[in-house]
């Protein structure tokens, strides 16, 4: 007999039919004559109730059906008498696939803290919270591919191992097969990477953008969606050492087109979540964040504010707010500043543009003023920066001058520079941190709780 997913059973009207459900026991309650098993198979946050007439079953099996155990149930689908549930299964056959010792099973009781659940990352997907987060995460990944596919963008697979360390987005993890205890040395006593696997120093990528630009100069509109790695020692609720990033890159777009794309993209994704993840969002709202759905709707329904960095600095300096990090023209904004602008001042998502060139990457298009570049960061309530992007410098002379000014080794990016030599074109793009999006959509507060297996400093256990 074929198993039917619980999500499907719960919306079925096929009363009287014989059905098979399989899943993990969330709770079992009842008395000597009748037991009620709440069964969940991950297809939905909702459990199906299995009604067990004790007289018809072997006591020893029923005894072992405890929270966390895995069972297969065949029975009659019936309209539920109880409140809240519309259907239930009157059990006829039960097979116990696996027990879960009630003495030791860590999820025997409800109500664990998120901190505790991080220590059992191998089991936490079985909780309601992580089930909801992981289903939403899947839905958002799907919505991202759908958004771009519907608009004629091509998914470009950029490399994970990179030979250039000029991406400038952060400290990198080295990739090497040399023996760390006994690496080959050159005449100066330094490690001789010419003998390493790739014949040179290599690292894990911090961004797919530079390669994305190569794609855009051929296919027009591309995006990457892959893992990125940053070895910064920043233990914050918004940083991971391994995270996923979505980076669209579009030929012929200027910074205004780029902002339009970023705004429409974010709004479409949040809208998709509201339309397709209702049960999970309602659960998270009830458990963690009473304003969640309201906040999501607010982002979909309101235009984002667009504002130059210089004006933002003005607002911050004139505000009465006490900041931990002082503000003046030229400083990089901290998340406290970003959140003040979004949550207190404008009360709307904000796109800041035209940042000082000294705090931004070498490839951003230089403005006429000689001081700022055509950068754009999208700032979100509760998150701060969710997207960072820019119009790219397409002028070879200006780009190479900036590269020299910043002492970036030209030999590492000769291939990137050739896009400006051969058929250069105005173009723009941005990077959306996937986990920051999931933080926003789920209302969770710590980035470690929106990725199945978080990698952070001193932590890569699972
Ligand atoms: P931040 O200032 O918040 O550290 P950044 O300016 O270094 O971010 P970018 O290089 O602009 O980040 O990367 C693009 C996007 O990737 C960011 O807007 C953010 O959403 C996300 N992101 C960056 N670093 C991380 C990280 N360590 N963990 C998770 N997401 C990140
Ligand atoms: Mn950024």
């Amino acid at each position: 007999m074929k198993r039917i997913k619980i999500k499907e059973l719960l919306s079925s009207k096929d009363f009287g039919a014989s059905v098979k459900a399989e899943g993990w026991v969330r709770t079992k309650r009842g008395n000597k004559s009748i037991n009620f098993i709440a069964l969940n198979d991950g297809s939905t946050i909702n459990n199906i109730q299995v009604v067990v007439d004790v007289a018809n079953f072997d006591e020893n099996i029923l005894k072992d059906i405890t929270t966390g155990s895995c069972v297969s149930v065949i029975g009659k689908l019936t309209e539920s008498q109880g409140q809240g549930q519309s259907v239930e299964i009157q059990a006829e056959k039960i097979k116990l696939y696996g027990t879960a010792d009630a003495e030791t099973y860590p999820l025997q009781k409800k109500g664990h803290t998120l901190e505790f659940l991080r220590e059992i990352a191998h089991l936490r997907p079985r909780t309601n919270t992580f089930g909801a987060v992981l289903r939403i995460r899947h839905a958002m990944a799907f919505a991202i591919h759908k958004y771009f596919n519907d608009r004629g963008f091509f998914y470009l697979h950029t490399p994970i191992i990179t030979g250039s360390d000029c991406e400038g987005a952060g400290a990198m993890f080295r990739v090497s097969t040399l023996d760390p205890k006994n690496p080959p040395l050159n005449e100066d006593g330094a490690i001789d990477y010419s003998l390493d696997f790739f014949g040179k120093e290599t690292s894990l990528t911090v961004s797919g953008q530079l390669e994305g630009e190569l794609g855009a100069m051929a296919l027009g509109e591309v995006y990457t969606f892959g893992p990125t790695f940053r070895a910064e020692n920043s233990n914050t609720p918004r940083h991971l050492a391994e995270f996923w990033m979505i980076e669209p890159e579009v030929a012929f777009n200027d910074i205004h087109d780029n902002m339009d794309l970023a705004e429409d993209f974010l709004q479409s994704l949040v809208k998709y979540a509201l339309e397709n993840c209702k049960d999970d969002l309602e659960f998270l709202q009830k458990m963690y964040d009473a304003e969640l759905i309201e906040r999501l709707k607010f982002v979909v329904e309101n235009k984002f504010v667009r504002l130059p960095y210089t004006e933002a600095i003005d607002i911050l300096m004139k505000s009465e707010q006490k900041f931990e990090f002082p503000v003046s023209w030229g400083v990089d904004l901290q998340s406290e500043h970003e959140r003040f602008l979004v949550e207190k001042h404008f009360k709307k998502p904000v796109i800041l543009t035209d940042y000082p060139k000294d705090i931004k990457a070498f490839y951003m298009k230089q403005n006429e003023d000689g001081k700022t570049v055509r950068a754009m960061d999208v700032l979100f309530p509760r998150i701060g920066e969710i997207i960072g992007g820019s119009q790219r410098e397409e002028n070879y002379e200006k780009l190479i001058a900036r590269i020299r000014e910043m002492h970036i080794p030209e030999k590492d990016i000769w291939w990137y520079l050739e896009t400006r030599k051969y058929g250069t074109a105005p173009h723009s793009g941005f990077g959306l941190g996937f986990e920051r999006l999931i933080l926003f959509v789920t209302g969770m507060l710590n980035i470690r709780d929106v990725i199945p297996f978080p990698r952070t400093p001193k932590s890569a256990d699972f």
Side-chain angles (χ1 to χ4, degrees):
M1 191 173 189
K2 218 167 141 31
R3 162 198 172 216
I4 303 177
K5 287 193 188 183
I6 289 171
K7 182 176 178 171
E8 200 180 315
L9 290 173
L10 288 174
S11 59
S12 170
K13 293 266 175 287
D14 205 3
F15 302 123
S18 184
V19 298
K20 176 161 146 186
E22 301 185 301
W24 293 268
V25 173
R26 283 298 165 79
T27 55
K28 190 179 77 175
R29 58 189 178 83
N31 52 39
K32 279 203 193 73
S33 57
I34 193 155
N35 282 182
F36 301 98
I37 299 171
L39 196 66
N40 188 283
D41 66 359
S43 59
T44 158
I45 189 134
N46 300 308
N47 305 326
I48 196 160
Q49 171 153 283
V50 178
V51 183
V52 183
D53 186 349
V54 174
N56 299 338
F57 291 88
D58 179 349
E59 252 178 70
N60 287 317
I61 290 191
L62 291 187
K63 173 170 72 48
D64 280 344
I65 298 179
T66 56
T67 297
S69 62
C70 184
V71 296
S72 175
V73 178
I74 293 176
K76 216 171 238 90
L77 195 69
T78 55
E79 207 157 356
S80 175
Q81 311 302 320
Q83 273 203 340
Q85 294 256 323
S86 54
V87 299
E88 59 191 26
I89 298 174
Q90 302 287 337
E92 283 157 4
K93 271 192 209 145
I94 301 180
K95 187 162 140 194
L96 182 60
Y97 282 134
T99 57
D101 182 3
E103 293 292 310
T104 59
Y105 181 55
L107 297 173
Q108 176 65 30
K109 293 259 175 314
K110 281 188 176 179
H112 292 298
T113 64
L114 294 169
E115 287 78 8
F116 172 74
L117 292 178
R118 273 174 226 149
E119 290 167 21
I120 51 164
H122 60 305
L123 294 173
R124 69 177 184 172
R126 297 194 196 181
T127 61
N128 283 329
T129 298
F130 284 89
V133 168
L134 293 176
R135 278 185 296 271
I136 291 172
R137 193 178 157 105
H138 161 80
M140 288 293 89
F142 176 78
I144 286 163
H145 286 299
K146 178 168 163 40
Y147 180 90
F148 287 126
N149 186 62
D150 287 351
R151 287 159 183 79
F153 284 62
F154 300 104
Y155 181 20
L156 186 73
H157 296 93
T158 51
I160 302 209
I161 299 174
T162 172
S164 68
D165 66 355
C166 54
E167 286 158 2
M172 299 176 93
F173 290 100
R174 179 167 295 148
V175 175
S176 172
T177 55
L178 294 178
D179 178 0
K181 285 200 225 73
N182 188 24
L185 303 178
N186 60 26
E187 287 155 13
D188 308 332
I191 294 177
D192 186 357
Y193 285 104
S194 71
L195 296 172
D196 204 346
F197 190 91
F198 295 106
K200 63 182 298 199
E201 271 195 85
T202 49
S203 316
L204 295 177
T205 186
V206 292
S207 156
Q209 180 203 315
L210 300 189
E211 293 91 349
E213 286 185 49
L214 310 180
M217 291 298 106
L219 297 166
E221 312 197 313
V222 300
Y223 69 105
T224 72
F225 186 171
T228 44
F229 307 86
R230 297 192 185 176
E232 297 141 310
N233 206 347
S234 43
N235 244 318
T236 80
R238 280 178 301 280
H239 289 89
L240 290 164
E242 175 181 297
F243 64 101
W244 289 67
M245 188 148 60
I246 301 97
E247 295 177 279
E249 191 69 39
V250 185
F252 315 116
N253 265 11
D254 68 11
I255 191 173
H256 304 287
D257 305 319
N258 205 31
M259 287 191 274
D260 292 344
L261 178 65
E263 182 168 342
D264 184 61
F265 180 47
L266 286 170
Q267 288 182 327
S268 301
L269 296 179
V270 175
K271 189 156 175 264
Y272 186 92
L274 285 167
E275 285 167 2
N276 293 276
C277 307
K278 204 163 170 286
D279 289 353
D280 289 322
L281 289 175
E282 280 170 1
F283 171 81
L284 293 170
Q285 166 154 293
K286 190 176 82 195
M287 298 300 291
Y288 295 101
D289 179 359
E291 277 129 43
L292 176 62
I293 291 173
E294 202 183 309
R295 194 180 315 115
L296 298 184
K297 285 189 177 149
F298 186 78
V299 162
V300 173
E301 286 159 10
N302 282 282
K303 287 213 76 61
F304 299 2
V305 173
R306 298 180 185 191
L307 181 82
Y309 166 93
T310 302
E311 286 177 35
I313 292 291
D314 248 23
I315 292 170
L316 291 168
M317 287 178 59
K318 287 192 186 123
S319 79
E320 308 279 275
Q321 192 79 8
K322 273 256 164 293
F323 294 115
E324 188 188 338
F325 295 90
V327 181
S328 62
W329 199 93
V331 302
D332 205 357
L333 296 184
Q334 302 292 327
S335 91
E336 57 171 344
H337 309 131
E338 297 171 342
R339 292 184 59 178
F340 173 83
L341 292 169
V342 172
E343 292 165 19
K344 299 240 166 71
H345 189 82
F346 290 109
K347 300 197 167 64
K348 270 185 202 168
V350 173
I351 311 184
L352 285 190
T353 60
D354 303 291
Y355 283 73
K357 67 175 186 201
D358 292 330
I359 56 169
K360 289 291 181 188
F362 72 91
Y363 48 71
M364 296 193 181
K365 188 168 174 64
Q366 298 158 33
N367 281 323
E368 301 293 318
D369 63 11
K371 290 193 304 192
T372 60
V373 288
R374 249 166 250 185
M376 48 149 265
D377 282 7
V378 182
L379 314 180
F380 253 37
R382 274 184 149 206
I383 307 291
E385 179 184 336
I386 193 165
I387 278 180
S390 68
Q391 183 168 345
R392 320 305 190 189
E393 182 56 77
E394 83 272 21
N395 179 289
Y396 182 84
E397 305 303 330
K398 286 187 182 162
L399 185 60
I400 195 85
R402 189 70 186 133
I403 284 173
R404 288 178 184 152
E405 223 168 69
M406 293 173 79
H407 306 292
I408 292 164
E410 283 164 54
K411 65 168 180 27
D412 281 354
I413 43 164
W414 60 272
W415 47 271
Y416 180 75
L417 286 164
E418 290 212 339
T419 55
R420 275 61 169 177
K421 265 197 221 164
Y422 304 126
T424 193
H427 61 289
S428 300
F430 59 79
L432 166 67
F434 188 50
E435 285 75 20
R436 299 233 180 134
L437 171 73
I438 307 302
L439 271 180
F440 181 72
V441 171
T442 59
M444 302 301 279
L445 290 169
N446 193 310
I447 200 161
R448 291 165 182 78
D449 298 331
V450 295
I451 187 166
F453 303 102
R455 267 88 186 89
T456 52
K458 301 273 176 288
S459 164
D461 286 341
F462 296 93

